[in-house]
Amino acid sequence: MEGAEDLYGDLDNVKMEKSSSSNSKPKSTTTVALEKQIEELKARTMVSEKENETLKRNMGTLFRTARTEIERKDAEIASLTKQLNPSKNHR
C-alpha cells in the first residue's frame, strides 16, 4: 500500500500547477474595466470621507461660534435693557 501512496502522492502538486497556470490567462477587457472602476470608486470614497470629516468639524466650529455669539448678544441686550429702564432693575 505504501508504494501506491507514493505513486499518487504528487497528484495534488499537479492540480496546483494546473490552477496556477489557469490564473495566468490574460484578463478580459470587462475584468480590466471593472477593476479600474473599483479603483476609481475607492479613490472617490476616500475623498468623500475626508470631505465628510472636514464638514463635520466645520459644522461643530460654526455651531459653537453661533452659540457664543448668541450668548454675547443676549448679554448686550440685557445690558442695554438695564440702561433704558434703570428703575425696573432696583426693585
Side-chain angles (χ1 to χ4, degrees):
M1 242 350 187
E2 284 183 42
E5 288 177 20
D6 291 335
L7 179 65
Y8 300 109
D10 64 339
L11 284 181
D12 289 336
N13 294 335
V14 173
K15 288 180 184 177
M16 293 293 280
E17 289 173 12
K18 276 189 172 182
S19 65
S20 296
S21 65
S22 67
N23 289 339
S24 64
K25 290 181 184 177
K27 295 181 180 178
S28 70
T29 319
T30 306
T31 303
V32 172
L34 288 173
E35 287 175 346
K36 183 178 178 182
Q37 187 178 9
I38 288 170
E39 290 305 314
E40 289 172 359
L41 290 172
K42 284 181 181 179
R44 286 175 53 191
T45 300
M46 287 180 64
V47 168
S48 294
E49 287 173 350
K50 287 180 183 178
E51 286 177 354
N52 187 23
E53 287 300 315
T54 301
L55 289 172
K56 284 180 181 179
R57 209 172 320 115
N58 290 347
M59 284 178 56
T61 302
L62 181 62
F63 178 77
R64 286 186 298 277
T65 302
R67 186 176 2 152
T68 303
E69 187 65 16
I70 288 171
E71 289 170 358
R72 185 190 68 78
K73 288 184 178 187
D74 284 345
E76 186 176 348
I77 289 170
S79 173
L80 291 172
T81 303
K82 284 181 184 179
Q83 289 175 11
L84 282 176
N85 304 317
S87 62
K88 289 185 178 179
N89 293 329
H90 292 294
R91 287 185 189 188

